[in-house]
């Protein structure tokens, strides 16, 4: 059993901390945000993540998991410190704001009085871990701090499974610390999960490369989807035609309104900035951001063309993907903003979990509705833009009864086309000719 202090209770920190307690370690999750910690202490989980609630309660009850705002109280009991604070994009040029990381480093230097391993799980530009190591080495500390880079690959909505049973765990560290990391991850190792040990800078670059590659795959299939719908090609057969080549694979080939979320856009921008600093060719990487923006603009244009001038539009979905309440860089919000800028339409919307956070961005420019059918009231089109299960089961007749004109545009290809056509809908999907 290791004693672990996790600093930062965002997605990565909270899920990692809770999962490490689940496998038997003793974990204290630390955050400066008093309100967040007080909620967690009362058993209230600040993020929506299936299964997390139960796991928190179980491990708190077993006294393996606790929450605190005070690093000094816990740091010298710990075997490892995990840094999992945010690394947002700086407003100016796509560079990464490392202030949260470095203020944690300062705090560690102020309170530490023992030798320790510091694991960086925050996504940080290549070279950051080495800089942090230098900062510790040149500080007044009397004991060595050993830096390990251990990036996370968990997805929102699937985070527990991704942490517990990942395809691989990446560890950047020197040979001397490998055994300690093996012992920390004994449960994973015993279950045969693949570990890749490398140096710090490679581990850091692996994280950026993985997210950038996955985003490129999504941008690629969206461009192919756009080509397909202009000719008589069919994206569903196409996906299977290319995905069955094992060199390509089926995953991350679902066309949609573009990628979003708190990671892909931020990490690609950071990689672009970093590659420019070192004068490396980055033409392909740069094009991913433009391609994604073009996709959002294209979907907005398609809605406008489909519906014609004026009227009420209904948007089903606000989050950047299903099974999360997160609307950060959501393509749904991007499309809505683009349409609002035309000053031609009024928008009604519904999302199972994203309404509160969407309201912070869209304010009162749209009407937030209690359910699918309320959102479709008097609408000239329903746009299905997030792939929630609830939207796969829409009652076509009931929807038609509430709408002004029966148009439906499925930007995730999840509805039953036949059912809607039989009910008299004009249906538009992505990646094949209008049906
Ligand atoms: C992503 C990565 O998948 C994780 O491995 C990584 O740990 C995480 O970023 C991070 O860096 O923290 P996440 O942002 O939760 O995870 O979401 P994904 O499930 O990867 O989806 C990203 C975006 O791509 C979403 O907007 C989604 O709708 C879109 N997408 C994904 C598609 O449009 N088509 C697909 O086939 C797959």
């Amino acid at each position: 059993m290791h004693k672990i202090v996790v600093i930062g209770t965002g997605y990565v920190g909270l899920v990692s901390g809770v999962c490490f307690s689940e496998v038997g370690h003793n974990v204290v999750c630390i955050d400066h945000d008093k309100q967040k910690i007080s909620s967690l202490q009362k058993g209230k989980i600040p993020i929506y993540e299936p299964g997390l609630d139960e796991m928190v309660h179980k491990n708190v009850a077993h006294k393996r998991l606790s929450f605190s705002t005070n690093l000094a109280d816990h740091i010298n009991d710990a075997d490892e410190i995990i840094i999992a604070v945010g690394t947002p994009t700086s407003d100016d040029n796509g560079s990464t704001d490392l202030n949260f990381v470095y203020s944690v480093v300062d705090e560690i230097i102020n309170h530490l009085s023992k030798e320790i391993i510091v694991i960086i799980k925050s996504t940080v530009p290549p070279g950051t871990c080495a800089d942090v190591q230098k900062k510790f080495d040149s500080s007044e500390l009397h004991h060595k701090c050993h830096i390990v880079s251990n990036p996370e690959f968990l997805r929102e909505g699937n985070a527990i499974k991704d942490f517990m049973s990942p395809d691989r765990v990446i560890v950047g560290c020197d040979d001397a610390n490998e055994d300690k990391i093996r012992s920390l991850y004994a449960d994973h190792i015993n279950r045969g999960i693949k570990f890749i040990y490398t140096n710090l800078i490679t581990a850091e670059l692996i994280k950026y490369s993985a997210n950038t590659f996955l985003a490129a795959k999504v941008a690629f299939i969206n461009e192919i989807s756009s080509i397909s719908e202009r000719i008589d090609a069919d994206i569903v057969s196409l996906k299977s035609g290319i995905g069955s080549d094992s060199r390509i694979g089926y995953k991350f080939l679902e066309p949609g309104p573009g990628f979003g979320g708190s990671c892909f856009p931020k990490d690609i921008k950071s990689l672009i900035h970093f590659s420019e600093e070192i004068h490396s060719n980055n033409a392909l990487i740069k094009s991913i951001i433009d391609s994604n923006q073009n996709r959002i603009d294209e979907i907005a244009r398609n809605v406008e063309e489909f519906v014609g001038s004026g009227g009420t539009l209904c948007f089903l979905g606000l989050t950047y993907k299903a099974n999360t309440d997160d609307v950060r860089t959501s393509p749904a919000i991007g499309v809505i903003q683009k349409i609002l800028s035309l000053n031609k339409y009024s928008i009604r919307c519904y999302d199972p979990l994203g309404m509160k956070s969407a309201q912070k961005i869209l304010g009162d420019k749209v009407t937030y509705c209690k359910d699918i059918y309320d959102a479709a009231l008097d609408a000239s089109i329903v746009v299905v833009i997030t792939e929630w299960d609830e939207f796969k089961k829409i009652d076509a007749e009931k929807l038609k009864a509430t709408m002004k004109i029966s148009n439906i545009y499925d930007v995730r290809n999840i509805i039953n086309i036949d059912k809607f056509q039989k009910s008299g809908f004009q249906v538009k999907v992505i990646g094949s000719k209008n049906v």
Side-chain angles (χ1 to χ4, degrees):
M1 190 265 285
H2 289 229
K3 288 186 175 170
I4 309 169
V5 160
V6 181
I7 307 175
T9 56
Y11 249 96
V12 170
L14 189 58
V15 172
S16 311
V18 174
C19 288
F20 272 129
S21 73
E22 177 72 13
V23 298
H25 298 308
N26 202 314
V27 179
V28 185
C29 293
I30 310 266
D31 204 295
H32 275 165
D33 186 334
K34 290 196 175 99
Q35 218 182 329
K36 213 174 184 187
I37 290 299
S38 147
S39 300
L40 281 162
Q41 284 167 336
K42 289 180 197 133
K44 275 177 74 187
I45 314 301
I47 52 174
Y48 172 78
E49 188 57 45
L52 194 61
D53 231 303
E54 296 84 331
M55 213 178 247
V56 168
H57 289 118
K58 177 180 151 194
N59 287 292
V60 167
H62 283 93
K63 302 205 180 317
R64 289 193 294 253
L65 178 65
S66 60
F67 303 97
S68 168
T69 50
N70 196 333
L71 178 63
D73 285 352
H74 303 280
I75 188 169
N76 291 307
D77 289 334
D79 300 306
E80 287 93 16
I81 299 170
I82 296 179
I83 300 182
V85 291
T87 51
T89 308
S90 297
D91 288 338
D92 45 357
N93 53 7
S95 63
T96 306
D97 179 350
L98 291 170
N99 280 323
F100 295 122
V101 172
Y102 281 111
S103 68
V104 166
V105 169
D106 287 339
E107 226 186 315
I108 293 174
I109 292 171
N110 283 339
H111 299 296
L112 192 69
S113 58
K114 62 181 290 215
E115 184 168 346
I116 204 158
I117 292 194
V118 175
I119 299 172
I120 301 201
K121 273 200 182 287
S122 302
T123 300
V124 291
T128 307
C129 288
D131 286 344
V132 171
Q133 181 72 70
K134 272 189 218 141
K135 192 154 191 217
F136 281 128
D137 291 347
S138 60
S139 72
E140 307 274 279
L141 281 174
H142 297 298
H143 303 278
K144 180 88 182 160
C145 269
H146 306 273
I147 297 295
V148 172
S149 170
N150 178 214
E152 254 322 311
F153 299 93
L154 49 85
R155 287 162 295 174
E156 293 187 17
N158 213 44
I160 291 179
K161 188 170 168 293
D162 285 343
F163 185 89
M164 291 300 212
S165 304
D167 289 338
R168 77 318 196 179
V169 175
I170 303 294
V171 182
C173 68
D174 55 29
D175 300 347
N177 293 304
E178 275 188 26
D179 280 349
K180 289 185 183 122
I181 298 299
R182 280 198 190 95
S183 151
L184 176 69
Y185 275 107
D187 178 79
H188 284 66
I189 291 169
N190 292 339
R191 287 185 290 117
I193 285 158
K194 181 174 178 178
F195 273 65
I196 296 172
Y197 294 92
T198 181
N199 60 18
L200 290 174
I201 205 157
T202 309
E204 292 167 320
L205 187 57
I206 287 171
K207 170 69 191 189
Y208 283 99
S209 310
N211 272 2
T212 304
F213 187 82
L214 291 169
K217 244 183 140 178
V218 173
F220 174 81
I221 199 66
N222 283 337
E223 289 191 5
I224 297 294
S225 168
S226 179
I227 293 171
S228 297
E229 62 200 36
R230 281 167 173 72
I231 56 176
D232 208 0
D234 166 44
I235 197 72
V236 178
S237 320
L238 189 141
K239 267 189 315 184
S240 132
I242 60 170
S244 50
D245 183 331
S246 60
R247 293 171 301 175
I248 296 173
Y250 294 101
K251 292 181 181 166
F252 274 71
L253 282 184
E254 292 303 331
F259 60 78
S262 64
C263 302
F264 281 4
K266 162 179 91 75
D267 291 353
I268 300 168
K269 283 182 195 148
S270 177
L271 186 58
I272 293 169
H273 178 81
F274 178 72
S275 57
E276 274 171 2
E277 272 186 341
I278 57 169
H279 309 292
S280 177
N281 180 17
N282 59 9
L284 174 66
I285 300 170
K286 267 178 156 170
S287 71
I288 302 169
I289 295 285
D290 290 343
S291 173
N292 200 50
Q293 185 57 49
N294 291 346
R295 180 64 175 167
I296 290 168
D297 296 347
E298 180 184 31
I299 300 296
R301 237 178 7 253
N302 289 350
V303 171
E304 195 191 350
E305 274 169 25
F306 192 5
V307 81
S309 59
T312 300
L313 316 184
C314 160
F315 275 82
L316 298 183
L318 293 164
T319 52
Y320 76 101
K321 62 173 187 177
N323 301 320
T324 177
D325 58 359
D326 200 339
V327 298
R328 285 176 288 176
T329 339
S330 169
I333 304 271
V335 170
I336 289 174
Q337 283 172 326
K338 191 89 202 167
I339 288 176
L340 284 172
S341 73
L342 302 170
N343 284 324
K344 288 208 291 197
Y345 303 103
S346 59
I347 293 182
R348 298 173 68 79
C349 57
Y350 166 71
D351 186 284
L353 289 178
M355 308 263 266
K356 251 193 185 164
S357 27
Q359 206 157 357
K360 289 185 194 143
I361 303 172
L362 295 170
D364 58 5
K365 294 194 184 104
V366 301
T367 307
Y368 304 91
C369 303
K370 68 176 192 306
D371 62 26
I372 295 170
Y373 307 97
D374 181 27
L377 188 69
D378 281 335
S380 304
I381 189 173
V382 163
V383 183
V384 179
I385 199 156
T386 310
E387 74 283 22
W388 287 101
D389 279 348
E390 198 178 328
F391 303 156
K392 297 175 187 164
K393 302 174 207 145
I394 298 174
D395 180 334
E397 288 296 332
K398 192 172 165 192
L399 193 72
K400 188 181 172 185
T402 179
M403 292 178 74
K404 188 168 174 197
I405 309 173
S406 321
N407 290 326
I408 187 159
Y409 182 21
D410 180 4
V411 190
R412 295 278 187 174
N413 288 358
I414 54 167
I415 64 161
N416 180 331
I417 297 171
D418 279 354
K419 198 172 75 178
F420 281 90
Q421 281 182 324
K422 275 188 193 132
S423 298
F425 273 83
Q426 199 184 338
V427 181
K428 183 174 168 65
V429 295
I430 51 169
S432 47
K433 269 196 154 179
N434 281 356
V435 285

